[in-house]
Amino acid sequence: MKSLMKKVFAAAAAIATVFGLAATTVATANAADNATLTVSTADAKFARKTVNAYKMFSATVSGDGKAVSYTLTDEWKPFFKDPAASGLTDNGVTDANVNDKANDYVSKLKDDALIAFAAKASNWAQTKANNITANATATVSQNAATDGKYTATFTGLDYGYYVVAVPGATVANTNGQYAALVRVHSTTVGVDIKGALPTVVKKVNGEGATHAKIGDPLTFTLTSTIPDMSAYSTYTFNFKDTLSKGLTFNQVDSVKVGDTTLTKNTDYTVTTTNEASGETLLTVAMNEFKKKQQTNAGKTITVTYTATLNKDAVVGGHGNTNSATIQYSNNPSTGGTGESEPSKVRVFTYGFTVDKYTGDNYTDAATRLAGAKFTLAPKNGDPMSFVQVNAGSANANAVYRVAKADETGATTIITTPQSGKVDFQGLKNGEYTLTETEAPAGYNKLASAIGVKVEGQNNGTDTTNATVHITYNNDNGSDYNQTASNGVIPVRNKSGVVLPGTGGMGTIAFTVIGVLVIALGVAWTLKRKNA
């Protein structure tokens, strides 16, 4: 009899010992259920997101708080009776014993098995067909506190064992943890938000920013992670990319899951829309995403496409910014969608100004020269082609931008206007040779070409403008020892020297002398006759 009683008490203790909490006494009714659960995260992506709390087990706690007893809620009994949902594979689960079986099963879970169970529970609770309603909801704060944490607070909770999850949250790391299991058996409880929301990382030529000349092709990559879609019957997953006015979309080169290339119009579709602003909206929409890719949850998915820097590109300044997001299903219960934080890249192109003048001093009052002709070439390369954007005037710079391949109206000869100033635009970083091919009438052509170095510096996706350094030398060497203030290179022409010639006053002098000789000869002849 004593042996039997020991077994009975041992079984009772095992049932009461759930989730690592040993019951040392028989639990009594709770004095008051009025718990506060604070959920927190340092991840700004969760700001303003909804957090749901689902009570899986009710709990009673002893007066001294040392003993806890859990009772499975009616809503969660179908979960544990379905082996595929919960992982409880005991074939003997019935309505009569499901509470004990669930207690025993969960109390023995640990490490990866417990994490996997949390994911299963979260998915099951959020699956619309299961008709589970969150016992409580809260919203993550818009701004972080002084400790850098964003928080959501549940108040007035009953004691129990809760599944806490953000709708739409998915795989956070390699162990697949994206839901929290929380023991609420005291008045104040805290837990970190688990999981991650779909994100995208955008690169241009493998970087967060790059430089290019007008007409250059650029390669963009959009990289994300396939989410766990277990809670969903269908799942929306679209790449949405906005190309600035200065970029012309070419084509999507590939969409890959890991190293596997997907098929266009079967696995995904591509659409482009020309916005009124001049921007282009590129959408790469995944087809039957859950059906085809659920088994690849956690793997990377990458879109690669090309675009060309065009004539509308912003020169210097903030550059040409474009951004990408992921549109994704964020609530299996309602079928809603959300959009990730944008990932931005910038493409920069640069320029400089030539100021043609004459005189001993380079000042605003110096005489400017029209009609000087130049070519600009990459160092040791052929002259580049440009298109005239503005002819210039006495008070305005002429503007020439780099021509695209086979563009009509292109020329390699750049001519200064009355203002003497010419803007060369659409250049990438590098060394260039500026050659005067013809001087203005009455002036001597430069004896040697000018070496120019363009060095644009930027910090990727930051919002600051690029910093551009233009340096040059007057003998086309590699020692760029002069700095172009505000990107302006002064180029001086000297007027030609007046050379001496025959005729003029020399002829007059000889004529006068001749007349005098003749006059003296006549006078001498007359004097002899009179003698």
Side-chain angles (χ1 to χ4, degrees), residues 430-489:
E431 298 179 65
Y432 297 87
T433 299
L434 179 69
T435 303
E436 186 176 40
T437 60
E438 185 178 326
Y443 293 86
N444 293 329
K445 189 175 68 174
L446 296 180
S448 65
I450 296 173
V452 181
K453 188 173 185 179
V454 178
E455 293 180 288
Q457 300 175 351
N458 60 77
N459 48 3
T461 57
D462 193 6
T463 57
T464 58
N465 290 343
T467 301
V468 187
H469 297 289
I470 307 295
T471 53
Y472 65 98
N473 61 55
N474 290 317
D475 58 3
N476 198 27
S478 298
D479 181 15
Y480 302 94
N481 53 11
Q482 298 183 73
T483 299
S485 177
N486 296 318
V488 178
I489 300 175

Side-chain angles (χ1 to χ4, degrees), residues 48-308:
R48 302 183 302 277
K49 300 297 183 183
T50 297
V51 185
N52 290 334
Y54 303 89
K55 185 170 66 172
M56 181 183 290
F57 291 90
S58 298
T60 56
V61 183
S62 64
D64 59 9
K66 295 181 179 180
V68 182
S69 176
Y70 292 95
T71 302
L72 183 65
T73 62
D74 290 340
E75 293 84 357
W76 282 86
K77 289 179 179 179
F79 172 68
F80 285 97
K81 292 169 66 177
D82 181 356
S86 65
L88 175 56
T89 57
D90 189 332
N91 294 327
V93 179
T94 64
D95 286 336
N97 65 15
V98 65
N99 178 71
D100 294 345
K101 295 285 187 181
N103 268 276
D104 182 62
Y105 172 61
V106 177
S107 67
K108 294 176 180 177
L109 295 173
K110 60 181 180 179
D111 302 331
D112 290 346
L114 186 60
I115 291 170
F117 174 77
K120 288 176 178 290
S122 173
N123 290 336
W124 188 84
Q126 295 184 74
T127 299
K128 186 176 182 179
N130 294 325
N131 297 316
I132 298 294
T133 302
N135 296 86
T137 62
T139 302
V140 180
S141 60
Q142 180 174 352
N143 301 308
T146 54
D147 62 356
K149 294 290 186 69
Y150 300 82
T151 59
T153 303
F154 298 91
T155 58
L157 287 183
D158 293 336
Y159 288 168
Y161 190 66
Y162 288 82
V163 180
V164 176
V166 176
T170 183
V171 175
N173 45 43
T174 55
N175 65 19
Q177 187 170 7
Y178 57 90
L181 300 173
V182 186
R183 296 169 294 197
V184 179
H185 48 75
S186 60
T187 55
T188 304
V189 181
V191 68
D192 289 335
I193 289 176
K194 303 297 182 183
L197 297 172
T199 59
V200 62
V201 176
K202 181 169 187 175
K203 298 291 185 182
V204 54
N205 290 351
E207 304 290 341
T210 192
H211 58 89
K213 75 177 190 304
I214 290 174
D216 278 353
L218 302 161
T219 299
F220 295 87
T221 55
L222 314 176
T223 304
S224 188
T225 302
I226 295 177
D228 184 345
M229 300 167 276
S230 301
Y232 297 81
S233 55
T234 61
Y235 196 90
T236 298
F237 194 88
N238 301 326
F239 291 89
K240 300 180 72 175
D241 191 297
T242 303
L243 287 77
S244 67
K245 189 176 179 181
L247 292 166
T248 300
F249 171 73
N250 295 334
Q251 65 180 18
V252 171
D253 292 334
S254 69
V255 179
K256 292 184 176 182
V257 172
D259 295 327
T260 302
T261 300
L262 303 186
T263 303
K264 184 178 179 180
N265 296 329
T266 299
D267 299 315
Y268 65 94
T269 57
V270 177
T271 57
T272 55
T273 305
N274 296 321
E275 303 291 289
S277 62
E279 296 176 324
T280 299
L281 176 61
L282 165 67
T283 302
V284 180
M286 309 310 298
N287 299 336
E288 297 183 298
F289 195 57
K290 179 183 176 178
K291 177 181 177 181
K292 295 182 176 183
Q293 303 300 337
Q294 171 60 30
T295 56
N296 290 318
K299 290 186 178 180
T300 58
I301 179 169
T302 304
V303 173
T304 302
Y305 74 89
T306 56
T308 301

